[in-house]
Amino acid sequence: GNAADAVLAASLAQTVVEPHMTTAFGVLSMMYYDKATGATQYLNGSMNAPLAGLPGFSAADVATGRSVSVPGFWAAWEASRTRYATKSREALAAPAIELAHTGFPIYPFLYGMMFEKAPKIGLTEEARRIYFRDNCLRGPGEQLVNHALAETLERMATDGVDYFYRSAFTQKVVDTVKRAGGVLTMEDFDRYEVRWMDPAWGRYRDYKIA
């Protein structure tokens, strides 16, 4: 593979081992230099606000469905793979899927984040099943297994962007967000598009910097 293959595979693996930092429900931004053409492009896979808008949004809404926007990660991941990578979705997702199924030891920083966010993690049965054991937060060194994430990544790898943005899975996401007070719709997901942008350029001494 090439550099795009490597970074895309790593980004999916991060959704498993760094759930506090990277998630398929987040964003993906990438600056890429294509040696073959000499072109440097910036891929903007940021989130979109829902079409309905969020009048009166406040800090109190952050822990509710009102804070959920349209994620750009997977659309940007697939756009980058299609334009620059050489491997299939299945090949690039395989390491992440294996990590999620087999698990990995909870490292100290991850445990610290779990501890800090325990009240929020504990709100749902699904999260408690992953991060808690016998109603107690799992501790450092324990194996963190996430079969549900592995199965979702498998479907994403098999069915691509349409599974994430235009399927029964999407409807389940929309319904879950609405029950939590959010305003996301299927149209919000369907309309999502990544943005290919020219980078900002500058100079430092003899270097041209993107």
Side-chain angles (χ1 to χ4, degrees), residues 13 16-17 93-106 130 138 141-151 153-154:
V16 180
V17 300
I97 292 166
E98 181 179 357
L99 274 169
H101 271 314
T102 60
F104 61 94
I106 296 172
I130 297 166
R138 296 181 183 274
E142 286 196 54
Q143 199 79 350
L144 189 67
V145 175
N146 194 339
H147 294 303
L149 176 57
E151 291 164 5
L153 291 173
E154 286 169 348

Side-chain angles (χ1 to χ4, degrees), residues 16-138:
V16 180
V17 300
E18 292 187 347
H20 52 291
M21 295 293 293
T22 305
T23 165
F25 279 85
V27 304
L28 188 151
S29 298
M30 186 174 75
M31 184 92 74
Y32 194 81
Y33 167 71
D34 184 14
K35 185 177 180 180
T37 63
T40 301
Q41 280 195 302
Y42 173 65
L43 173 58
N44 185 337
S46 298
M47 288 181 167
N48 276 5
L51 292 169
L54 294 170
F57 188 87
S58 71
D61 294 316
V62 172
T64 74
R66 294 199 82 208
S67 69
V68 183
S69 302
V70 184
F73 178 96
W74 188 241
W77 191 95
E78 180 65 347
S80 175
R81 187 194 69 83
T82 302
R83 180 169 294 195
Y84 292 125
T86 66
K87 302 289 186 179
S88 67
R89 287 191 303 266
E90 291 86 350
L92 296 179
I97 292 166
E98 181 179 357
L99 274 169
H101 271 314
T102 60
F104 61 94
I106 296 172
Y107 49 92
F109 187 76
L110 175 57
Y111 174 75
M113 296 302 297
M114 289 165 55
F115 185 87
E116 180 181 330
K117 300 297 183 182
K120 185 180 289 188
I121 295 172
L123 289 175
T124 64
E125 179 185 345
E126 292 92 341
R128 291 194 299 272
R129 191 181 306 128
I130 297 166
Y131 293 100
F132 285 70
R133 178 174 50 80
D134 299 330
N135 292 321
C136 292
L137 198 64
R138 296 181 183 274

